Amino acid sequence: MSILIRGGTVVNAGGEQQADVLISNGKIVDVANNLDAPDGGRVIDAGGSYVIPGGIDPHTHMELPFMGTVASEDFFTGTSAAAAGGTTMCIDFVIPAPQENIVEAWKKWRGWSEKAACDHSFHVAITWWDDSVHRDMEILTKDYGVNSFKHFMAYKGAIMCDDEVLGNSFSRARDLGALCTVHAENGELVWRLQQEIFDKGITGPEGHPLSRPPEVEGEAANRAIRIAEVLGVPLYLVHTSCIDALEAVTRAKLEGQRVFAEVLAQHLVIDDSVYRNKDWRFAAHHVMSPPFRPKEHQAALWRGLQSGMLQTTATDHCCFCTPQKEAGLNDFRAIPNGTNGIEDRMSVIWEHGVRTGKLTPSEFVAVTSTNAAKIFNVYPQKGIIAPGADADIVVWDPERSRTISAETHNQNIDFSIYEGMTVTGVPAITISQGKVVYEDGELKTVRGAGRYINRPCFPSYWHNQMLRNELAEPTSVER
Ligand code: URP
Ligand code: ZN
Ligand code: ZN
């Protein structure tokens, strides 16, 4: 079935143009002026709207088993909520338990994701090490479309990697042509601070940010960057939340290292005052790691995004409802870490980024879609409106407003960290694989329609930084 999107402003990361977009069989077939409507096909009038590539959220956790419970959003509800917000692809995480076979874990997650409504892919976490992990990383890259491995430097006693595992996995990823990603927080320090703070009698959610100060993130970010530099592997930092980590990224980039960094929409707009709220539930709803930071960090993160030091925006969508959060009523250390946002990311960034003049519409497309597509190697299948690309498209209405609320959102969680925020700029229509999946407030997603997207590894020149430096002309010294 064909669709013609007529009269909109097509926005790609490379620029804007007035053009019609013709879609057929799930693909974009033409982008040009005065295209003819297909026989029997639908014509969408996009006059006054932007026509943008579907959002790509490179960091989500649907139905994740974590901290003694399971995230409330499943792959169907989560990808449906994503579509309502203009996101048509997410990259979720397979997180094997220590000693769990990593290929079997991938298969388990893939079983869960069969119900996804939109396209998705998986990073795989390396949480332990032996010869089978070394072997199976190659199997995942060759047979399961995995080109990125995740490393948690926090969550001691659960899924944390020590430096030995980091070194083993980074080296193996380099040899396979895969990308390493890290959750950068020093897990030893977090664990120590958590005990100290709890022993002082601070048991509520206000203890959470105290146990995870920016220095803890900055140290781990810098350590991961240096390990990646020495081992010659590209690195991607997830949820960069503070100046300390941003400075480490900036320094590495200025030194020519291939480092990428992501920022979460919520870290750009919410500060740490949420943890001082007298309502325990409100504060607990915001417990996530890294935590929300003092306001000056937000300003720096926006500048990081504007300057290209941060390339992608994500949500870390990891939903736990109020009764799940209450597991930590008497001990902040037991509050499941995670917040919502997959439905809200695009509008929050449009409202606070584009409407304030910090980002142009093209820059918005870059940080919500194109950059993630490039970094994770699904470009130009995704992340661009051009002939041959998948027809994952949003007709974006820059004038329409929505006030975000758990009462009306599509996410499977009983609160929203953005409750009461009004955003102007929302999807009028979301198209996934050439089919309308959301239109004027109504979801039309189909359970199981989402495909798993294979992501091939990278060409070897991505990984030869050390080699390149070694091969550089030796400077002769005059004596
Ligand atoms: O608090 C968070 N971010 N929960 C999900 C797991 C992670 O650290 O990404
Ligand atoms: Zn994390
Ligand atoms: Zn996460």
Side-chain angles (χ1 to χ4, degrees), residues 59-61 64 93 95 150 152 155 183 238-239 262 264 288-289 315-318:
H59 186 164
T60 65
H61 301 282
L64 172 69
F93 291 83
I95 306 184
K150 171 76 175 284
F152 290 92
Y155 306 122
H183 168 134
V238 306
H239 50 43
E262 157 194 294
L264 305 184
M288 67 162 301
S289 297
T315 61
D316 200 359
H317 186 74
C318 189

Side-chain angles (χ1 to χ4, degrees), residues 280-296:
W280 185 93
R281 284 173 186 77
F282 180 92
H285 289 160
H286 291 84
V287 166
M288 67 162 301
S289 297
F292 294 103
R293 304 295 192 189
K295 273 203 183 313
E296 62 267 22

Side-chain angles (χ1 to χ4, degrees), residues 69-70 72 279-286 318-329 334-336 338 340 406 409 412-417:
T69 184
V70 178
S72 58
D279 177 354
W280 185 93
R281 284 173 186 77
F282 180 92
H285 289 160
H286 291 84
C318 189
C319 293
F320 298 107
C321 293
T322 307
Q324 294 175 288
K325 292 278 185 183
E326 284 172 349
L329 258 180
I335 301 170
N340 67 293
H409 72 195
N412 191 26
I413 182 168
D414 60 352
F415 64 91
S416 172
I417 53 168

Side-chain angles (χ1 to χ4, degrees), residues 26-223:
K27 296 276 183 196
I28 297 169
V29 292
D30 208 351
V31 181
N33 286 309
N34 304 318
L35 291 177
D36 284 327
D39 287 342
R42 178 172 174 192
V43 179
I44 292 172
D45 176 8
S49 292
Y50 292 109
V51 181
I52 61 175
I56 300 174
D57 187 339
H59 186 164
T60 65
H61 301 282
M62 309 302 174
E63 49 194 292
L64 172 69
F66 191 50
M67 295 184 72
T69 184
V70 178
S72 58
E73 190 86 274
D74 72 26
F75 277 94
F76 175 56
T77 60
T79 51
S80 296
T87 290
T88 51
M89 178 174 177
C90 65
I91 312 182
D92 208 272
F93 291 83
V94 173
I95 306 184
Q99 314 308 320
E100 184 177 1
N101 178 283
I102 63 175
V103 175
E104 292 307 316
W106 184 98
K107 290 180 186 165
K108 184 166 72 182
W109 251 264
R110 183 67 190 102
W112 296 337
S113 82
E114 289 287 354
K115 56 177 118 38
C118 295
D119 288 353
H120 58 282
S121 193
F122 293 152
H123 314 278
V124 175
I126 300 302
T127 55
W128 63 293
W129 194 261
D130 76 353
D131 289 348
S132 75
V133 178
H134 182 271
R135 177 197 65 213
D136 291 347
M137 283 175 76
E138 181 169 25
I139 293 174
L140 286 170
T141 60
K142 294 225 158 81
D143 302 338
Y144 295 86
V146 174
N147 70 14
S148 49
F149 293 97
K150 171 76 175 284
H151 307 81
F152 290 92
M153 299 171 79
Y155 306 122
K156 178 177 153 86
I159 51 178
M160 182 175 112
C161 283
D162 60 18
D163 285 2
E164 185 180 354
V165 175
L166 285 180
N168 285 331
S169 179
F170 279 26
S171 300
R172 183 64 170 147
R174 175 200 59 209
D175 295 346
L176 294 170
L179 181 61
C180 292
T181 80
V182 287
H183 168 134
E185 285 185 301
N186 183 317
E188 280 299 326
L189 283 177
V190 170
W191 185 83
R192 180 170 291 271
L193 291 176
Q194 282 180 329
Q195 316 314 315
E196 286 181 6
I197 287 158
F198 187 80
D199 290 347
K200 274 191 193 144
I202 301 173
T203 60
E206 70 278 15
H208 180 71
L210 297 175
S211 66
R212 313 180 95 102
E215 294 80 357
V216 158
E217 183 179 340
E219 186 283 325
N222 197 53
R223 180 158 39 100

